[in-house]
Amino acid sequence: MSANANHVDPNANAASELLNNDRLPWHRKITYGFTDMSGNLLYCIISSYMLYFFTNVFGIGVGTAGGLLLLGRFFDAIGAPVMGILVDHTHSKYGKSRPWFLWMSLPFAVFVWLLFTTPALSGTAKILYAGVMYILADLSYTAMSTPITSVLPNLTSNSDDRMAANSIRLVLGNVGNFFAVTFIIPFAGLLGHGNEQRGWSLAVGVYAIVAFILLIIAFFDMREKNIEEEKIITIRESLKATKGNWPWILIVLANLTYWTAFIVRNSALPYYFQYNLNDKGLISFFNGFSIIQVLGMASVPFFAKYLHKWGTTVFMLGLTMVGQIWMGFAGTNVTSALIGWCIACIGSGSACTMFFAMVGDTVDFGEWKTGIRANGFLTAIGASFCIQMGSGFGSFIASMIMKAFGFTAARAHQTAASLTGIHVSFIWVPVAIYAISLILMVVYRKWENHEPTVKADLAKRNAEKTQTAESAN
C-alpha cells in the first residue's frame, strides 16, 4: 500500500470539524421563526384578503383592484433585487441581514395598518390612497422579509441545522398565517360593531403591534457568524453570482409559479365561500383548517431523508393538486370540500418550506461556481421576488377571470357566469399552474445530486483560508 493511501488531508479534516461544530442553538431556531411569524401575521392578511378588502370593504371595482395589485407587485419585483443588493452592501456590527429587522419593524407595521385604514375618500383620491399604501406596505414587507432568507446561511453552515431552523420558521410562520386568515374577519366584526371599515383598521392595528414585538425579539437574539470576513460585493459581482447558477434559476421559476398558483387560490377563496357556497362564515372556518399544513411542514425533514429535497417538493406539489381537484368535485358538499382543502394545505405548506430551504443551497452553489457569495441578492430573487411577483400575477389573474365572467361586488347574488368564474379561479387555474412548478422541480434533481461536492469543496476552501490566516499571524 502506498504512503499516499494513508495520507489524510488536514484541510479536509478541518473542514469536516468546522461543519460539525457550527451548530445553531435551539432558542435561536425559535426566534428565527419569529421573523416569519411576524411577517405572515400581517402579510397573509394582504395575500388572502386584499382583493376582497378592496372590493367588498373599501368599495373599489374588481378590475381596478386587480390592476392596483399587479402594479404594486411590479414595484415590489424591482424592490426585491434592490433589497438583496442593499443586504449584500450592508456592513454593521450586527451583520448584513440582522440589522434590517430592527430598521424595518416599525415601518412595516405602520404601513400595513394604514393600508387597511380607509379614510373618507372617493373617486380618484380613494384609488390613489389604496395604491400608494399598498406599494408602501409591500415594499416595507420586502425590506423586512428579504433578510429572513438571506440571514440563514450566516447563522450556521450546518445543513441539518439550516433545514431544522427553516422548518421551525415555516411552522411558526404558519401559526402567524393561521391567526391572520382565521380570526381577522370575525375580529374586525367584533371591533367594528357593524362598521366594517373601522373594524378592519382596529383589528389590523392590534396585529401590527404584535408583529412589531416579534421582530424586535428576533433581532436581539440573532447572531450572524463570520461577518468580519465577509467583504462587500458590487452589483456586478451580485449579478455574476447568477451566471451558470442553474439550480438558482430553476428554484426562482418554480417558486414564482408556486406563489402565482397559491395566490390565485387565496384571492378567489373569500368569493367562493360567500357566493358559490352561500356561507360567508366558511371563509374563516376553512382558513382556520389551514393550520393542518403544520403537519406537513414538521414532516418535511423525514420526507427529505428518503425522497430528497426535489422528490419531497414534487410529492407535495402533487398532493396539493390532488386536494384542489378533490374540492372541484366536492361541489356544495362542505365535508368533502374540507377534506380536499386539508390535503391541499398540507401539500402547499410543505412545498413552500422546501423552496425556502433550497434557495439557501443555491447561494452555496453560486459561491462554488463563481467565488462570490451573494446571500442577499440570490435569496431576494429566489424568495421575496417570487412571493411578491407571484402574488401580483395571482391576484391579477383571479381578478381578470372574475371580471371577464361578470363579477361585481355590488350584487348580493351573482350570475351563473360569475359563479363559474369564481369556481375556475379557485379550483382549476391553480392546478394548472402548480403542474408547471412540479415539472421544474423534476428537472432540479440533477443539481441536487451535485450538492455534496459543492459543500465539501466550500468547506475545504474555508479551512484552507483559516489555516493560511493562522500561518500569516
Side-chain angles (χ1 to χ4, degrees):
M1 184 178 290
S2 67
N4 288 337
N6 295 319
H7 175 69
V8 178
D9 188 345
N11 289 328
N13 283 340
S16 178
E17 185 177 349
L18 181 67
L19 287 174
N20 291 331
N21 293 336
D22 187 14
R23 305 310 300 266
L24 192 63
W26 178 255
H27 68 87
R28 198 153 291 152
K29 294 175 184 176
I30 299 295
T31 52
Y32 174 63
F34 281 0
T35 59
D36 217 31
M37 186 176 180
S38 171
N40 281 359
L41 196 62
L42 296 181
Y43 183 75
C44 288
I45 300 175
I46 297 176
S47 62
S48 295
Y49 295 120
M50 198 73 259
L51 182 62
Y52 180 81
F53 177 84
F54 276 164
T55 60
N56 288 41
V57 180
F58 204 10
I60 298 174
V62 66
T64 302
L68 286 177
L69 296 178
L70 182 61
L71 179 64
R73 298 304 184 183
F74 175 77
F75 280 99
D76 293 328
I78 298 173
V82 170
M83 188 60 217
I85 292 170
L86 287 175
V87 169
D88 285 332
H89 282 71
T90 300
H91 186 71
S92 77
K93 64 180 180 180
Y94 301 122
K96 289 178 173 291
S97 302
R98 181 188 168 202
W100 289 95
F101 300 123
L102 176 65
W103 299 336
M104 294 311 303
S105 55
L106 186 59
F108 173 54
V110 170
F111 285 135
V112 174
W113 172 67
L114 288 175
L115 175 60
F116 287 93
T117 299
T118 52
L121 300 172
S122 60
T124 303
K126 175 187 283 191
I127 295 171
L128 186 62
Y129 176 87
V132 170
M133 287 303 131
Y134 180 65
I135 290 171
L136 290 175
D138 275 350
L139 286 176
S140 64
Y141 172 73
T142 299
M144 185 280 299
S145 65
T146 298
I148 296 178
T149 308
S150 66
V151 77
L152 183 56
N154 279 5
L155 294 179
T156 176
S157 58
N158 187 283
S159 183
D160 290 338
D161 273 2
R162 283 185 189 177
M163 179 68 77
N166 191 68
S167 295
I168 291 172
R169 163 199 167 182
L170 270 296
V171 168
L172 290 180
N174 190 66
V175 173
N177 170 73
F178 171 73
F179 279 97
V181 301
T182 306
F183 299 114
I184 192 63
I185 289 181
F187 192 34
L190 177 67
L191 297 180
H193 298 292
N195 185 332
E196 277 196 296
Q197 294 186 347
R198 180 176 181 272
W200 275 86
S201 178
L202 291 174
V204 173
V206 172
Y207 277 46
I209 293 171
V210 176
F212 171 77
I213 293 171
L214 289 171
L215 277 177
I216 293 299
I217 293 173
F219 164 77
F220 280 113
D221 189 57
M222 281 187 189
R223 297 292 183 274
E224 288 191 60
K225 298 181 179 180
N226 302 319
I227 57 177
E228 301 85 0
E229 301 172 9
E230 285 201 3
K231 65 175 185 176
I232 296 176
I233 63 176
T234 65
I235 296 175
R236 184 175 182 179
E237 287 175 321
S238 295
L239 293 172
K240 186 180 177 182
T242 69
K243 187 177 181 180
N245 196 337
W246 286 106
W248 176 78
I249 293 170
L250 288 168
I251 291 298
V252 168
L253 293 175
N255 204 16
L256 177 61
T257 52
Y258 165 86
W259 280 100
T260 300
F262 184 79
I263 298 301
V264 169
R265 184 193 75 175
N266 280 14
S267 295
L269 182 149
Y271 303 98
Y272 183 78
F273 290 115
Q274 180 169 342
Y275 299 109
N276 291 56
L277 297 188
N278 296 310
D279 190 346
K280 188 176 179 180
L282 290 176
I283 300 173
S284 295
F285 179 73
F286 268 69
N287 270 327
F289 270 91
S290 65
I291 191 68
I292 198 171
Q293 63 192 11
V294 169
L295 297 177
M297 291 176 174
S299 67
V300 158
F302 172 80
F303 278 98
K305 183 178 180 180
Y306 295 100
L307 300 179
H308 306 291
K309 284 175 282 191
W310 76 271
T312 301
T313 311
V314 167
F315 175 77
M316 294 303 177
L317 286 171
L319 196 65
T320 306
M321 295 165 64
V322 169
Q324 287 286 128
I325 294 170
W326 188 308
M327 284 191 291
F329 287 106
T332 57
N333 187 324
V334 175
T335 302
S336 182
L338 184 60
I339 294 172
W341 173 251
C342 289
I343 294 172
C345 285
I346 291 172
S348 62
S350 303
C352 178
T353 303
M354 296 308 304
F355 285 124
F356 284 120
M358 288 185 287
V359 75
D361 295 327
T362 68
V363 173
D364 293 335
F365 187 90
E367 183 183 7
W368 177 80
K369 183 82 174 178
T370 66
I372 299 169
R373 189 170 185 81
N375 286 32
F377 184 76
L378 294 181
T379 57
I381 303 294
S384 295
F385 171 84
C386 294
I387 295 172
Q388 302 287 13
M389 204 66 246
S391 296
F393 286 146
S395 299
F396 183 73
I397 290 170
S399 68
M400 290 299 102
I401 292 174
M402 289 165 57
K403 182 182 178 183
F405 280 82
F407 172 83
T408 174
R411 275 198 215 102
H413 301 284
Q414 300 298 319
T415 63
S418 177
L419 294 177
T420 298
I422 295 170
H423 180 80
V424 168
S425 299
F426 181 62
I427 302 293
W428 302 111
V429 172
V431 171
I433 304 175
Y434 279 131
I436 298 172
S437 184
L438 187 152
I439 293 169
L440 289 167
M441 289 313 304
V442 172
V443 178
Y444 182 82
R445 175 185 181 180
K446 169 186 175 182
W447 302 103
E448 184 178 342
N449 291 338
H450 191 55
E451 279 179 17
T453 301
V454 171
K455 292 188 181 298
D457 283 355
L458 287 179
K460 189 173 180 179
R461 288 181 202 174
N462 290 333
E464 289 172 350
K465 287 179 183 177
T466 301
Q467 197 170 62
T468 301
E470 289 175 352
S471 299
N473 293 331

